[in-house]
Amino acid sequence: MAYVSLQFVIFTAAVTAIYFLFPVRKYQWTVLLAADYFFYLYSGYKYAIFIIFTTATIYLAGKAIGRSQETEKETLKLKKAEWGREEKKAFKAGVKRRQRTVLALALIANFGILIFLKYSNFIAGGLNQLISPGTGSGPIPMLKLFLPLGISFYTFQAAGYLIDVYNATIAPEKNFFKFALFISFFPQIVQGPISSFGQLGSQLFAEHRPEFARFKAGLELILWGYFKKMIIADRAVIAINTVTADYAKYSGTVILATALLYALQLYADFSAGIDISRGIAQMLGIDMVQNFRRPYFATSINDYWRRWHISLGTWMKNYIFYPVAMSKLFLGWSKKMKASSFGKTAAGAYVAKVLPTAFSSMIVFLVVGLWHGANAKYVAFGIWNGGIIMLSILLKPVFDRLCEALRIRTESFAWRVFRILRTFVIVLIGYYFDIAPGFRGALDMMRRSITDLHLRGGISLMRGLGLGKSDWAILAFGALTIFVTSVIGEKHGYEFPGEMLEKRSFALRWMVLFASMVLVAVWGIYGPGYDPAEFVYMQF
Amino acid sequence: MKKIIIKRCVKIASLLIAVVLFLAFLQRYILTNVSDNTIRLRGFYQEEPNTLDVIVLGASEVYSDFSADELYKKTGVTSYPYSFAANPVTLWKYELREILERQTPKLLIVELNGAQYGKDMLYNSAAFRYLTQDMKLLPEKKEIIDTYGTDSKLSYYFPILKYHSEWHRGKNLRNGYSMLVQDMRGYSLLKGSYSHMARKEVPEELKDYDRTATRDLNPEAEKYFREFLDECKASGIENVLFVRFPHLVTDKKGVDALKRNNRAGEIAAEYGYEYLDMDAFCGEAGIERPEDFHNTDHLMMSGQMKFTDYLADYLVRKYDLKPTDLSPEQKEKWDESVRWMDACFAYYQDYMKDPVFNREYTVYERSDVMARVKKYLDPQ
């Protein structure tokens, strides 16, 4: 069931109505669970086994760890007087080891499925390349595999829950069905955001009454989402697909314009999906985490990743970055470097201090790259982003001194604009890996974007990309709308344009909403003859 | 509290209603399949019930070759071309039901071109859309959509789903505006007429072929035709005349079409209906070949007038048609329409002083064309 379909609108309206009319409010959450599984089975019943497996294994593992933690507490309480410090320590270590084993087994099983379904052909291809280089085939057969809907998202969310239980930051959920709801919540199953149990769980199971303010805000958010998806993203993707299908046919100007268009399309598409998800949840009385905060206004690549796909960034930070950076191995390296002669110098001391952070960032972005897809270009995408962050961490003192030497006023508006543009260029380079057919293709596209710029020819070529003049005008209008609302949002801290209207007159709000609905209906890409693109992040 | 809830509900409902009404307006006039065909069919539904004595059913030959205003001017008999481009025999039985739902014609004329279509034309999706757009008989509309609808069936009921991206097309805007003007006026001026103002170059007519020869219809076409004939019988309509309007036969395709038309005529005769190949009367009607033809299948406006005049005489003689009994208001509207048709013809004659060949230029109830015609309007 596509988000951009009448079925989905009817489904959502029906679920909302049943949810609030459900006679026993205590069990309201069961409506959501039923809706989740209806949505999932309707979208592809053969996938259901995987989500059920993840739900069951993570639930059981969480319960086992939780029980172990309880037993540990009770035993320590009972043996408080009896055991000495060493005995307690040994007991705790034993319990932790057992818990770690359960955690590891559950994570291996679930990430194993994800890796098998998503990456086995990538790994097989790589191995074949090693065994028989240049032949394009090899002894390891390629498998015909399908990717269950939302597998990356729900696997990460479930893993996060289990790690939180293991770290005792949350108590394990006792009710299997409530846990199943947390894993399968329909507005987020397709493309996130990846929520933590602590943030989302209690809201899902709480009793909710319909609230006008939530309904209004939720519907406005959904409308904004459809505006971005149907008017901008699904229109831009037509030109992007035309060029990327055979980029060699086009001039560097067109390729550069396509990369810029992709930046617009990707943001419009992904943030639209999240807005629709969050809007639905909001109507149901549930607040989901923010996933975007005007990412193209980021002043550094670090900042960008704090604004783009925030929930994935948070997940990576909590469950990969910190554990890796604080691991004995990395801290050991840091210590060793500090102790070395290089570590005694000012530069060496700095490098030794930030080394775990820098390397952890690289590892995180390699994972982020792979998370996006099983392809060398995504690995390159990860290395590019990780490498830039690593360098920016390691060379921070150099850059600071350079700014001082050049007497740059780092608080000035011009410097901020420069940093925004610089970050955008870095991000844009990363996008070439997304749109190119492969790693080499990405490099070639970049090269041509610089060396093959013909403004006049380029502009005329833009006419043959599957979009008419009116489409380009609409895209320009859409981009301008996003830009203006983002500037205002950035200045006043608004999350989405609906908030800007909050204190405006009824007539103005009414007019804006009226115009938005009409524009979506008239300018939106939908209906027979069109094949509206799936949300980009659904494939991940 | 209750008051606040009611107030909020009223606000939301008013916003949604406003959006729906505005979109419905756009769907009616712009975001839809809007063309001369839809304007013509809309005009049919604007005629007062039971005021049309003659209905002419068929495809593009009907509205290109026949003028209801001219027939009225000549005989005082009201008529209307219930026709649209490539109207296939597949739909005729539904069209008859739709006609009889609103009118009680004394005579139904059926131009047979749509009966000789091959399979592709029998299931031409554009035709299904033209017909169903304004159809009043909902069960029939549903049956057509369910049986023949090709893409999203919902889009037949809500054309905006299919045509929402057509908003910027000048043709749509012009036709939509024309439809709006016609709707606001409440009746059609040119009564669906579509008059060609430019000729296309056509090959010379064939000479040695048998005008009375026949050839089998497509089996599916024959099935639909017989269903239509059964429907005619069952409807109890007084007079039904099957005709072939004037054509230039210039190639084998044209000969085949003629043969299949003749075969359809034979089948109509089996049911006791008369069939006329009107080509035979072109000489008597004063239609010059090829000067009065736009292309092989359609007449120029001059031909349209000559042909309608001839047909008017024939129908009055044959069916003893008397001027339609109209109220003074209705009569005034028809007289106004005749003045407009005269103005169109004057415009045509002026235009033809310096004719442009091989161009599609037609006069139909389109606002910009009507604005040009207006200066030829008799001030009386």
Side-chain angles (χ1 to χ4, degrees):
Chain A
M1 197 188 305
Y3 268 27
V4 184
S5 69
L6 198 61
Q7 285 166 319
F8 185 74
V9 173
I10 293 168
F11 169 76
T12 305
V15 170
T16 311
I18 297 168
Y19 183 70
F20 287 119
L21 293 172
F22 199 69
V24 191
R25 238 173 253 283
K26 194 181 164 192
Y27 294 109
Q28 241 179 345
W29 61 270
T30 58
V31 175
L32 293 183
L33 180 64
D36 295 343
Y37 271 83
F38 175 83
F39 178 80
Y40 207 85
L41 293 170
Y42 189 88
S43 302
Y45 61 90
K46 61 183 177 185
Y47 305 143
I49 188 73
F50 293 99
I51 195 168
I52 291 169
F53 176 83
T54 298
T55 308
T57 50
I58 299 290
Y59 169 77
L60 291 173
K63 214 171 169 190
I65 292 171
R67 207 181 300 125
S68 163
Q69 287 166 341
E70 286 293 315
T71 316
E72 182 187 5
K73 269 187 209 161
E74 282 167 15
T75 311
L76 287 172
K77 207 174 173 185
L78 279 173
K79 304 280 183 181
K80 194 177 177 184
E82 213 175 302
W83 281 352
R85 199 173 168 178
E86 286 307 310
E87 281 170 306
K88 279 181 192 169
K89 208 176 164 186
F91 172 73
K92 277 185 187 174
V95 170
K96 203 69 193 169
R97 204 166 36 246
R98 281 194 292 279
Q99 288 175 5
R100 202 178 298 131
T101 309
V102 174
L103 173 73
L105 285 174
L107 292 184
I108 288 168
N110 283 282
F111 279 110
I113 290 173
L114 177 65
I115 290 166
F116 175 73
L117 292 176
K118 201 166 172 179
Y119 305 104
S120 54
N121 281 338
F122 173 58
I123 296 166
L127 290 174
N128 283 335
Q129 190 67 26
L130 280 177
I131 299 164
S132 333
T135 58
S137 61
I140 305 166
M142 302 299 243
L143 303 170
K144 275 186 185 168
L145 298 168
F146 57 87
L147 210 53
L149 182 69
I151 186 168
S152 297
F153 291 98
Y154 72 68
T155 304
F156 274 53
Q157 185 156 307
Y161 160 83
L162 193 61
I163 297 168
D164 285 349
V165 170
Y166 172 79
N167 290 333
T169 51
I170 56 165
E173 175 53 52
K174 288 180 185 141
N175 187 324
F176 173 76
F177 296 103
K178 283 186 176 177
F179 180 70
L181 168 60
F182 168 67
I183 297 298
S184 60
F185 186 42
F186 81 88
Q188 66 166 143
I189 191 81
V190 174
Q191 52 175 351
I194 302 165
S195 302
S196 70
F197 190 77
Q199 188 273 329
L200 184 65
S202 56
Q203 292 192 76
L204 288 174
F205 318 137
E207 297 173 17
H208 295 288
R209 286 173 189 282
E211 287 174 44
F212 179 76
R214 281 187 160 277
F215 255 84
K216 192 165 74 78
L219 283 171
E220 283 172 0
L221 198 53
I222 292 169
L223 184 60
W224 178 232
Y226 278 122
F227 179 92
K228 287 188 284 185
K229 171 69 178 161
M230 294 166 70
I231 294 181
I232 304 169
D234 285 355
R235 182 168 269 107
V237 82
I238 296 168
I240 295 167
N241 287 346
T242 309
V243 176
T244 53
D246 187 7
Y247 76 87
K249 264 179 23 188
Y250 299 95
S251 72
T253 320
V254 175
I255 294 170
L256 178 63
T258 304
L260 288 167
L261 200 58
Y262 180 70
L264 172 69
Q265 189 263 341
L266 188 64
Y267 173 62
D269 187 282
F270 192 15
S271 66
I274 295 293
D275 285 348
I276 294 168
S277 303
R278 293 183 71 221
I280 295 168
Q282 202 161 1
M283 288 200 306
L284 296 169
I286 296 156
D287 289 320
M288 290 205 299
V289 288
Q290 200 182 348
N291 215 29
F292 290 95
R293 223 179 46 251
R294 299 169 288 280
Y296 296 142
F297 287 165
T299 51
S300 68
I301 199 77
N302 247 327
D303 186 24
Y304 169 78
W305 283 105
R306 282 193 295 269
R307 291 162 172 263
W308 177 276
H309 207 344
I310 298 169
S311 64
L312 179 68
T314 309
W315 195 97
M316 292 287 170
K317 187 175 76 185
N318 291 339
Y319 305 118
I320 296 187
F321 178 80
Y322 285 139
V324 173
M326 306 304 275
S327 67
K328 282 177 190 165
L329 180 72
F330 274 52
L331 290 177
W333 280 358
S334 178
K335 267 185 188 170
K336 270 186 195 169
M337 191 176 275
K338 258 183 203 167
S340 71
S341 56
F342 175 62
K344 304 287 182 229
T345 62
Y350 175 77
V351 171
K353 191 177 141 196
V354 298
L355 198 65
T357 312
F359 274 108
S360 304
S361 298
M362 183 52 120
I363 290 170
V364 161
F365 279 97
L366 270 177
V367 176
V368 168
L370 280 170
W371 182 85
H372 278 84
N375 195 312
K377 65 180 184 175
Y378 292 117
V379 176
F381 169 83
I383 291 173
W384 170 251
N385 280 279
I388 294 284
I389 288 180
M390 208 169 131
L391 281 177
S392 67
I393 293 170
L394 292 172
L395 299 176
K396 189 175 181 300
V398 179
F399 292 136
D400 288 347
R401 283 201 188 155
L402 206 63
C403 281
E404 268 177 41
L406 296 171
R407 294 191 182 174
I408 292 168
R409 287 195 298 121
T410 53
E411 300 307 313
S412 70
F413 176 72
W415 178 244
R416 187 176 149 78
V417 170
F418 167 75
R419 292 181 71 195
I420 288 173
L421 290 175
R422 181 195 60 186
T423 307
F424 183 73
V425 170
I426 294 168
V427 169
L428 196 66
I429 291 171
Y431 286 165
Y432 275 84
F433 294 109
D434 261 2
I435 57 173
F439 177 67
R440 281 185 189 165
L443 295 182
D444 191 36
M445 284 174 89
M446 280 182 226
R447 182 186 57 79
R448 293 188 52 196
S449 295
I450 299 164
T451 60
D452 187 24
L453 287 173
H454 308 286
L455 201 56
R456 220 174 257 179
I459 286 170
S460 67
L461 264 176
M462 297 300 283
R463 288 184 199 130
L465 302 182
L467 296 178
K469 275 183 198 165
S470 61
D471 290 310
W472 288 111
I474 291 171
L475 275 178
F477 171 81
L480 192 68
T481 306
I482 290 187
F483 179 73
V484 171
T485 53
S486 298
V487 169
I488 300 171
E490 186 75 3
K491 196 173 174 190
H492 299 284
Y494 295 132
E495 224 184 273
F496 80 106
E499 287 178 17
M500 296 175 201
L501 295 172
E502 207 56 40
K503 285 175 187 149
R504 304 286 166 189
S505 68
F506 167 72
L508 180 72
R509 270 186 291 149
W510 204 87
M511 272 164 59
V512 172
L513 290 175
F514 176 88
S516 307
M517 283 191 248
V518 170
L519 287 184
V520 169
V522 177
W523 285 356
I525 300 278
Y526 65 94
Y530 286 108
D531 185 15
E534 289 288 14
F535 284 95
V536 173
Y537 267 70
M538 262 181 86
Q539 62 185 299
F540 305 136
Chain B
M1 187 65 188
K2 210 174 171 183
K3 265 188 179 174
I4 294 173
I5 293 172
I6 292 170
K7 206 174 154 188
R8 282 171 176 171
C9 286
V10 169
K11 277 182 184 174
I12 295 171
S14 61
L15 175 64
L16 292 177
I17 289 168
V19 171
V20 169
L21 287 178
F22 187 64
L23 290 177
F25 172 81
L26 292 181
Q27 178 179 254
R28 188 168 170 85
Y29 295 109
I30 301 167
L31 308 178
T32 187
N33 183 11
V34 57
S35 67
D36 61 287
N37 298 295
T38 40
I39 293 174
R40 183 176 312 109
L41 288 174
R42 181 78 52 88
F44 171 79
Y45 292 105
Q46 288 173 328
E47 294 297 321
E48 290 287 327
N50 304 319
T51 57
L52 298 174
D53 280 347
V54 177
I55 302 285
V56 190
L57 188 152
S60 54
E61 286 80 356
V62 171
Y63 54 76
S64 299
D65 299 359
F66 170 78
S67 161
D69 283 331
E70 183 66 13
L71 182 72
Y72 177 78
K73 182 182 164 187
K74 194 98 203 294
T75 63
V77 175
T78 56
S79 64
Y80 204 92
Y82 193 89
S83 60
F84 49 91
N87 179 8
V89 66
T90 325
L91 295 173
W92 289 359
K93 71 172 179 190
Y94 301 107
E95 290 169 29
L96 180 60
R97 286 180 208 164
E98 191 73 4
I99 290 165
L100 296 180
E101 174 68 12
R102 295 189 61 82
Q103 300 291 341
T104 45
K106 291 179 181 134
L107 169 66
L108 175 71
I109 302 174
V110 182
E111 208 289 330
L112 280 172
N113 194 52
Q116 57 86 24
Y117 288 163
K119 202 164 180 177
D120 52 339
M121 293 289 280
L122 288 176
Y123 303 105
N124 167 20
S125 66
F128 300 132
R129 285 193 180 275
Y130 290 140
L131 178 64
T132 52
Q133 194 152 305
D134 269 339
M135 255 182 112
K136 303 290 181 253
L137 292 172
L138 295 181
E140 272 74 4
K141 178 170 175 163
K142 186 175 179 308
E143 193 178 317
I144 293 171
I145 294 166
D146 289 348
T147 317
Y148 307 112
T150 45
D151 37 25
S152 157
K153 289 182 178 161
L154 204 59
S155 68
Y156 285 81
Y157 298 100
F158 302 104
I160 191 171
L161 294 176
K162 185 175 168 69
Y163 297 102
H164 62 274
S165 56
E166 304 287 311
W167 58 272
H168 62 283
R169 298 200 194 288
K171 198 176 155 195
N172 262 44
L173 292 171
R174 277 195 303 271
N175 282 331
Y177 176 68
S178 311
M179 190 114 89
L180 175 67
V181 170
Q182 184 175 301
D183 272 0
M184 285 167 71
R185 189 191 313 114
Y187 57 97
S188 144
L189 289 175
L190 300 186
K191 307 293 177 202
S193 170
Y194 186 85
S195 308
H196 290 280
M197 311 280 282
R199 274 179 59 203
K200 289 202 165 168
E201 279 175 45
V202 285
E204 210 167 303
E205 268 200 282
L206 298 181
K207 288 196 173 71
D208 299 326
Y209 64 95
D210 181 2
R211 281 209 66 87
T212 56
T214 61
R215 185 180 173 160
D216 280 346
L217 300 181
N218 173 293
E220 285 168 51
E222 183 168 338
K223 180 182 129 266
Y224 295 125
F225 188 46
R226 287 185 185 278
E227 280 175 12
F228 171 68
L229 289 163
D230 289 334
E231 192 81 27
C232 287
K233 284 279 167 200
S235 71
I237 190 164
E238 223 175 302
N239 300 300
V240 184
L241 172 66
F242 289 87
V243 294
R244 170 182 156 90
F245 278 3
H247 286 77
L248 293 175
V249 179
T250 59
D251 55 12
K252 187 179 174 299
K253 207 175 141 199
V255 175
D256 285 347
L258 170 67
K259 285 178 180 173
R260 281 193 290 266
N261 268 234
N262 290 340
R263 172 62 192 140
E266 276 183 1
I267 296 170
E270 285 175 28
Y271 288 74
Y273 294 123
E274 187 186 1
Y275 164 64
L276 278 181
D277 175 4
M278 302 293 285
D279 255 339
F281 306 106
C282 277
E284 282 179 49
I287 296 169
E288 290 175 47
R289 312 170 78 96
E291 289 77 7
D292 281 328
F293 281 80
H294 160 67
N295 58 14
T296 54
D297 299 337
H298 308 106
L299 293 172
M300 292 285 284
M301 193 177 189
S302 54
Q304 185 185 35
M305 294 296 125
K306 290 175 190 172
F307 178 69
T308 307
D309 286 351
Y310 182 82
L311 188 69
D313 287 341
Y314 178 84
L315 296 179
V316 168
R317 270 201 323 272
K318 170 88 183 170
Y319 297 100
D320 192 23
L321 293 175
K322 299 277 184 292
T324 309
D325 190 15
L326 296 170
S327 69
E329 295 83 39
Q330 288 163 1
K331 193 174 176 315
E332 197 178 313
K333 287 175 187 173
W334 273 93
D335 289 343
E336 185 191 0
S337 297
V338 168
R339 285 210 317 278
W340 274 95
M341 181 50 79
D342 285 344
C344 287
F345 193 53
Y347 173 53
Y348 169 81
Q349 284 171 319
D350 200 10
Y351 185 83
M352 289 307 285
K353 284 176 190 162
D354 190 13
V356 178
F357 282 84
N358 287 330
R359 187 185 159 194
E360 276 298 340
Y361 181 40
T362 46
V363 167
Y364 66 97
E365 201 144 343
R366 206 177 84 180
S367 52
D368 56 330
V369 179
M370 294 296 267
R372 261 171 264 157
V373 168
K374 202 175 177 182
K375 66 176 179 182
Y376 295 88
L377 203 56
D378 180 356
Q380 174 272 317

